[in-house]
Amino acid sequence: MAKRRPLIAGNWKMFKTCEESVESAQKLKTLVADVDAADIMIAPTFTSLFPVHGVVKGSRIGLGAQNLHWQKEGAFTGEISCDMLVSAGCRYVIVGHSERRQFFGETDESVNRKIRAAVSAGLLPVFCIGETEAQRESGETFSVLDKQVRDGLKDFVFDAPAGVVVAYEPVWAIGTGKTATREQAQEAHAYIRSLLETLFGKPVADAVRILYGGSVKPDNVKALMEMPDVDGALVGGASLDPETFSKLVFFND
Ligand code: 13P
């Protein structure tokens, strides 16, 4: 089948004030104005979402959030609902990032609730999974991915075959400069895709985009993107500078 449409996604994590976010988004918008071959997402912090929406609306850049709460509203101090994200202009939301799992008590169960709430609200979740270095070294990579996918997508019903984006982010490759080799990425992505086929059938497995994340840079993106099951990148550090990020968007040039 034809390769899935690439998605190059920037996770700005806890970087950039409102002013800095707007300035970066403006620069990026100009730099990627002619992009045709890939979808683009940027995920600023919550406070920057609406101001950045003002910059990117109507452009090729889709807006994403970095987290959400699954309840519609209520007494949940410090949380943000899907409807709030939609009204701030979001189309995407990152769910289950390893930093949230590691530092903020995110579990496969909360990830599952968040994915289902996001899709019900019309958001496209970017569902993050990945093993730690210790898990890879002890040969548990596939069993970790298996559990994260099964539990994260438990009772999930795909209304559209491409209704979720999966991001494979090996924890040992995030922010370390240690990128997975493209063979390691392909092996994990192929495993995830075959699991999706087992759980949800071939149309879903063929349609779901699986992004690689972990020290993606302009000098390694092309090699990664050449692999058959790598459909895009979820980028942290290299997404913060618009020039650098635009080079990732133009990975084929
Ligand atoms: P780096 O690109 O900085 O390694 O971060 C990856 C990541 O966590 C994206 O979500």
Side-chain angles (χ1 to χ4, degrees):
M1 66 162 277
K3 214 171 173 225
R4 293 153 289 272
R5 185 169 166 79
L7 170 61
I8 306 296
N11 173 9
W12 288 359
K13 306 192 178 183
M14 199 173 75
F15 291 98
K16 298 183 192 287
T17 61
C18 288
E19 292 82 359
E20 289 163 350
S21 300
V22 163
E23 195 188 327
S24 292
Q26 276 162 342
K27 281 191 188 149
L28 184 65
K29 186 168 121 172
T30 309
L31 288 163
V32 302
D34 299 329
V35 166
D36 219 15
D39 290 340
I40 306 166
M41 176 201 95
I42 52 173
T45 56
F46 286 138
T47 49
S48 292
L49 287 172
F50 193 55
V52 168
H53 172 59
V55 177
V56 301
K57 65 171 183 270
S59 80
R60 294 181 178 275
I61 303 170
L63 190 64
Q66 299 174 18
N67 189 22
L68 64 103
H69 193 276
W70 59 85
Q71 295 280 0
K72 269 196 102 50
E73 59 184 9
F76 301 106
T77 302
E79 296 293 332
I80 307 268
S81 75
C82 296
D83 290 348
M84 293 168 192
L85 297 181
V86 170
S87 94
C90 290
R91 298 214 304 260
Y92 301 85
V93 60
I94 298 170
V95 178
H97 192 280
S98 64
E99 286 150 15
R100 297 219 55 85
R101 294 177 189 258
Q102 213 177 332
F103 305 128
F104 302 102
E106 190 83 86
T107 62
D108 290 330
E109 197 207 339
S110 59
V111 167
N112 176 259
R113 287 174 185 239
K114 290 179 181 190
I115 289 173
R116 290 191 287 150
V119 171
S120 304
L123 291 161
L124 183 54
V126 178
F127 164 35
C128 301
I129 56 175
E131 81 287 359
T132 63
E133 185 150 42
Q135 288 165 334
R136 176 162 281 266
E137 279 170 4
S138 59
E140 292 170 68
T141 299
F142 293 149
S143 62
V144 168
L145 297 178
D146 195 281
K147 179 169 171 13
Q148 289 174 334
V149 170
R150 282 178 195 273
D151 292 357
L153 296 177
K154 188 162 176 262
D155 300 329
F156 181 71
V157 178
F158 278 83
D159 290 338
V164 169
V165 173
V166 176
Y168 169 61
E169 297 205 305
V171 178
W172 48 272
I174 295 177
T176 57
K178 266 202 245 174
T179 324
T181 64
R182 63 187 202 150
E183 289 76 20
Q184 284 171 322
Q186 169 58 27
E187 186 186 37
H189 286 218
Y191 180 82
I192 295 160
R193 200 174 303 287
S194 71
L195 179 58
L196 290 173
E197 182 168 350
T198 306
L199 298 174
F200 300 104
K202 193 161 162 50
V204 165
D206 282 345
V208 166
R209 289 179 288 186
I210 307 178
L211 316 183
Y212 168 77
S215 299
V216 176
K217 303 278 183 283
D219 63 2
N220 59 27
V221 66
K222 188 169 195 290
L224 286 159
M225 291 298 292
E226 279 167 1
M227 302 313 272
D229 288 296
V230 177
D231 306 313
L234 181 56
V235 186
S239 73
L240 294 173
D241 174 55
E243 287 270 356
T244 310
F245 188 62
S246 71
K247 290 188 187 143
L248 300 178
V249 172
F250 290 101
F251 63 89
N252 243 341
D253 292 2

